[in-house]
Amino acid sequence: MKKTEICLIENSKIILNNKTVFESPAGNFSDFAKDAYKSMDLGYPKFHKMDNLSKLAFLASEMILKDEDHRRTAVVLSNRSSSLDTDFKYQESINSQENYFPSPAVFVYTLPNICVGEISIRHKMQTENAFFVLDEFDEEFLNDYARQLLQSGKADKVLCGWTELYQESYKAFVYLLTA
């Protein structure tokens, strides 16, 4: 297997294949994500409704996947905090309502694999996907999983990586593997 593209997002920067392709003066993730979205000219209005974890994974994947055909590309991501950042926001929406009417718009994102779904929908992927919650980034584990998908013929490529976001701490390290 070989890595054909690598994207790193952290500290208000997007680095693609070791080259900084976007940098924002934004001090928080929400503003950084909006700035990055505008600069990439994605034209995907659903982006604005996503939770921050999905936005992070989506931005990293867009840098790699672009407008190519990825119907046979699988997605295998991981992080440490699962969807905890959104879970707290959902709990706040419950606590702030007088009649216990939590926000369904936030509830949708209380599973970490929703970010994989957003990527798959955008690129019309028809392959397997998985999201693992691990103590730390385990490239060997992800690569072994990807290798099985490639060798079994279930996918031609696999988008792998780490997409960790909790409060204002975030990092995406995403890469594309081919056989």
Side-chain angles (χ1 to χ4, degrees), residues 9 29-30 32-34 36-37 40 42 44-63 65 75 77-79 81-87 89 105-123 131 159 162-167 169-172 174:
I9 299 178
F29 179 78
S30 292
F32 164 73
K34 286 177 197 170
Y37 174 85
M40 293 166 74
L42 295 174
Y44 193 69
K46 197 174 172 189
F47 177 84
H48 301 290
K49 294 181 180 181
M50 293 179 196
D51 73 322
N52 284 339
L53 178 62
S54 294
K55 287 178 180 179
L56 177 63
F58 188 86
L59 289 171
S61 71
E62 284 302 301
M63 295 304 303
L65 301 176
V75 182
L77 299 178
S78 62
N79 77 5
S81 299
S82 185
S83 57
L84 195 56
D85 187 68
T86 302
D87 295 347
K89 289 177 181 149
V106 176
F107 175 74
V108 170
Y109 293 98
T110 57
L111 294 172
N113 64 337
I114 296 302
C115 66
V116 171
E118 295 286 5
I119 296 164
S120 297
I121 290 166
R122 164 78 165 165
H123 292 280
F131 196 105
L159 182 72
W162 179 259
T163 55
E164 172 65 17
L165 183 136
Y166 180 66
Q167 296 175 341
S169 175
Y170 63 93
K171 179 178 183 175
V174 177

Side-chain angles (χ1 to χ4, degrees), residues 12-48:
S12 298
K13 288 184 189 177
I14 299 176
I15 300 167
L16 181 64
N17 300 322
N18 296 317
K19 180 182 175 194
T20 300
V21 295
F22 177 77
E23 192 167 357
S24 170
N28 62 55
F29 179 78
S30 292
D31 290 341
F32 164 73
K34 286 177 197 170
D35 292 348
Y37 174 85
K38 286 178 191 172
S39 102
M40 293 166 74
D41 195 29
L42 295 174
Y44 193 69
K46 197 174 172 189
F47 177 84
H48 301 290

